[in-house]
Amino acid sequence: MAGKDWVKGFRKRHPEITLRSPEATSSARAQAFNRPNVMKFFTILQNVQQKNSFLPHRVFNVDETGLTTVQSKCSKILALKGRRQVGSLTSAERGVLSTIVVCMSAGGNFIPPMIIFPRVRMKAELQDGAPPGTIFHCHPSGWMQLDIFTEWFQHFINHAKPTAEDPVLLILDGHMTHTRNLKFIDLARKNHTTVVCLPPHCSHKLQPLDVSFMGPLNTFYVQAIEKFLRNNPGRVVSQFQVSKLFGEAYIKAATQMTAINGFRKCGIVPLDPNIFDDSDFIAAQTTEIALIDPPIAEIAAIDPPITEISISENKTSNNQEETQPCSSFTFSPVHVTPIPKASIKARSTNRKKGTAAILTSSPYKAELEASKAITPPKKRLFNKKKPLCKRQKKSKNTATNDEDSDAECPYCGGTFSQSKSNEGWVRCSKCMKWCHDGCAGCEGDSFICDFCKTLSKLY
């Protein structure tokens, strides 16, 4: 059995290999980021680029992120060796989450951001210290909504000023407030804006803001919070300091080089469909389930079949092995330990899966209008007093007379009363909020939503 000496010798023989801290990647991202999905997205970009010839400073990317009043991580400090615990001051155990909308272009231009506070009423003190041109909005949940995103897009038009002679391209993810927002799509078509949606669960590789901007922004925001706590002893960070702290971090992170590198690493500007190699798609080979069924030729290129060595061939090669020394590099590690395949059954849901698409195209708009024209079923409201179970399906027995008990999915914004028959709903065991079975993507009865997972990582 290989021990510590073997590991030390292996690292000396291979100085190009080093210890790295891996980035947590969900199974949904590992499954969705495969070559067919990525190639479909780049094919759409090529068709759009050939039709309009967008310049780099007219290609934009928009994304939302959350900032809390408690730093997600603490900066490293110098301490004496042997100390078992080294602490760092924070404002509270758990903070208040505000949504920040950021947009940048491949030429290095930034649209003034938008801040959504988890409040009902707006106060002027909340705007102090924000970046110049920032717009503000309030919502009880603090998350993006359909009407709020439409308001942000009007803010985007005022700064980008797209025209028929100088149109713009806007790239965004497949959030419900983007893909199911008919007012936003109509407004984009009228203002010469082409909107392209990223493939689902691929934003960690294909979205420039996630690749290059959000990391530095979070680092500078943490440093701003720590600086505030040190310079103001006895005080804590609240919603009234978020704009000022975010403004300090935004000015440092929003550089021209950051925006240019983000679009370049994603292969969007300049357009490079071959920016990702086979090693980037290795995680997609561990599952048999694919969001898009790739052609046989592409499957062979991604995961070539391993030919089995027959017993007769082994017998004939024994004499050669006796005469020739065996080398550890004769076979690939894939032949010794094949890539494991997950035996996961595809779950059938009534909800349509997202895909990369041109949201401003006429077929997509017609399909969205047709889905909106369907009359919703008779209103059946969800009964809050009954359920102690964590999973439920919509049926005739779930009707109630309480008008305030209609549950809203935090992922897509859809309500229980407008959901289809026999559509599964699951309840988070932490925040006690209900969401669609398909949106949550949970397997068992024990379920924690992505928002609570994000908060748990932050705190």
Side-chain angles (χ1 to χ4, degrees):
M1 181 180 295
K4 295 182 179 180
D5 296 337
W6 181 89
V7 175
K8 292 179 180 178
F10 177 81
R11 295 189 63 182
K12 288 182 179 179
R13 292 191 300 271
H14 300 279
E16 69 278 4
I17 299 178
T18 182
L19 287 176
R20 296 286 300 275
S21 297
E23 181 180 354
T25 304
S26 64
S27 59
R29 292 184 183 273
Q31 172 186 336
F33 189 76
N34 51 50
R35 191 178 294 276
N37 285 346
V38 174
M39 289 299 106
K40 179 180 179 180
F41 170 70
F42 280 112
T43 301
I44 293 175
L45 278 184
Q46 287 178 345
N47 296 334
V48 170
Q49 187 67 21
Q50 291 176 0
K51 183 178 179 180
N52 299 280
S53 299
F54 294 104
L55 296 176
H57 68 280
R58 306 303 284 171
V59 180
F60 291 87
N61 174 226
V62 60
D63 189 27
E64 300 90 5
T65 186
L67 295 180
T68 65
T69 55
V70 176
Q71 59 265 42
S72 58
K73 58 181 179 180
C74 296
S75 302
K76 294 183 179 180
I77 61 174
L78 296 175
L80 293 175
K81 291 184 178 180
R83 290 286 300 273
R84 294 186 177 182
Q85 185 177 4
V86 179
S88 180
L89 183 64
T90 60
S91 299
E93 294 293 336
R94 300 189 62 174
V96 180
L97 182 68
S98 301
T99 300
I100 312 297
V101 186
V102 184
C103 182
M104 68 180 185
S105 72
N109 301 324
F110 284 81
I111 302 296
M114 181 183 192
I115 303 178
I116 305 174
F117 291 103
R119 303 170 55 89
V120 177
R121 296 177 180 84
M122 188 67 190
K123 288 188 177 182
E125 293 82 357
L126 295 170
Q127 306 178 12
D128 295 340
T134 304
I135 59 176
F136 304 87
H137 207 284
C138 292
H139 190 270
S141 66
W143 300 333
M144 178 60 72
Q145 306 295 323
L146 291 171
D147 55 341
I148 300 179
F149 187 76
T150 306
E151 179 182 343
W152 174 87
F153 185 69
Q154 185 62 55
H155 168 72
F156 169 80
I157 293 175
N158 296 336
H159 287 81
K161 294 181 173 57
T163 60
E165 296 77 16
D166 192 15
V168 299
L169 172 63
L170 182 62
I171 301 174
L172 39 73
D173 56 23
H175 194 264
M176 179 259 185
T177 57
H178 308 159
T179 59
R180 311 300 295 177
N181 195 338
L182 190 57
K183 293 182 179 179
F184 156 65
I185 294 176
D186 288 335
L187 192 60
R189 289 167 61 93
K190 294 178 182 178
N191 290 274
H192 314 287
T193 302
T194 303
V195 183
V196 175
C197 176
L198 292 168
H201 308 294
C202 295
S203 59
H204 64 297
K205 293 282 190 178
L206 293 176
Q207 182 147 251
L209 282 169
D210 284 345
V211 172
S212 66
F213 181 79
M214 295 304 180
L217 177 66
N218 184 52
T219 300
F220 292 133
Y221 182 72
V222 169
Q223 294 175 0
I225 292 180
E226 294 175 344
K227 179 181 176 181
F228 176 85
L229 295 176
R230 287 194 300 266
N231 295 334
N232 299 273
R235 295 183 58 186
V236 296
V237 178
S238 64
Q239 292 184 10
F240 295 94
Q241 285 80 40
V242 169
S243 295
K244 182 179 180 180
L245 299 176
F246 167 69
E248 296 179 8
Y250 182 82
I251 292 175
K252 296 179 181 178
T255 62
Q256 189 175 17
M257 186 59 66
T258 300
I260 295 174
N261 289 337
F263 282 89
R264 179 180 55 82
K265 290 180 179 179
C266 295
I268 298 177
V269 178
L271 188 61
D272 185 10
N274 300 319
I275 192 68
F276 302 106
D277 53 16
D278 293 338
S279 61
D280 295 312
F281 303 106
I282 288 179
Q285 301 180 22
T286 60
T287 176
E288 300 288 348
I289 305 171
L291 297 180
I292 302 176
D293 296 332
I296 298 178
E298 292 183 356
I299 295 178
I302 298 174
D303 191 7
I306 300 174
T307 56
E308 296 182 357
I309 303 175
S310 60
I311 299 177
S312 60
E313 292 177 350
N314 289 336
K315 290 181 179 179
T316 57
S317 61
N318 285 338
N319 297 331
Q320 298 178 358
E321 291 180 356
E322 293 177 357
T323 58
Q324 298 180 358
C326 180
S327 174
S328 60
F329 297 94
T330 303
F331 296 100
S332 171
V334 178
H335 295 81
V336 179
T337 305
I339 298 176
K341 296 293 182 179
S343 58
I344 304 176
K345 296 182 179 179
R347 302 175 63 230
S348 59
T349 59
N350 295 328
R351 303 184 64 82
K352 184 179 178 180
K353 294 182 179 179
T355 182
I358 304 176
L359 303 186
T360 50
S361 62
S362 298
Y364 187 91
K365 181 175 180 291
E367 182 182 357
L368 182 59
E369 289 177 343
S371 63
K372 296 286 185 181
I374 299 176
T375 56
K378 186 177 179 181
K379 192 170 185 179
R380 294 170 181 156
L381 298 179
F382 179 76
N383 187 4
K384 284 185 178 179
K385 298 180 180 179
K386 177 183 176 182
L388 293 177
C389 60
K390 296 181 180 179
R391 188 183 293 272
Q392 179 168 325
K393 287 188 176 181
K394 184 178 180 180
S395 62
K396 296 182 180 180
N397 298 327
T398 59
T400 178
N401 295 326
D402 187 4
E403 293 292 336
D404 297 330
S405 59
D406 195 9
E408 179 179 354
C409 177
Y411 289 92
C412 65
T415 58
F416 181 80
S417 59
Q418 296 180 354
S419 59
K420 300 179 181 179
S421 300
N422 297 326
E423 187 171 22
W425 283 71
V426 65
R427 192 176 192 181
C428 176
S429 58
K430 283 194 174 183
C431 63
M432 306 304 291
K433 291 183 179 180
W434 291 84
C435 44
H436 286 108
D437 229 356
C439 296
C442 62
E443 298 292 341
D445 292 334
S446 179
F447 165 67
I448 299 177
C449 66
D450 294 339
F451 306 102
C452 293
K453 290 180 181 178
T454 303
L455 292 176
S456 63
K457 291 181 180 179
L458 294 177
Y459 311 132

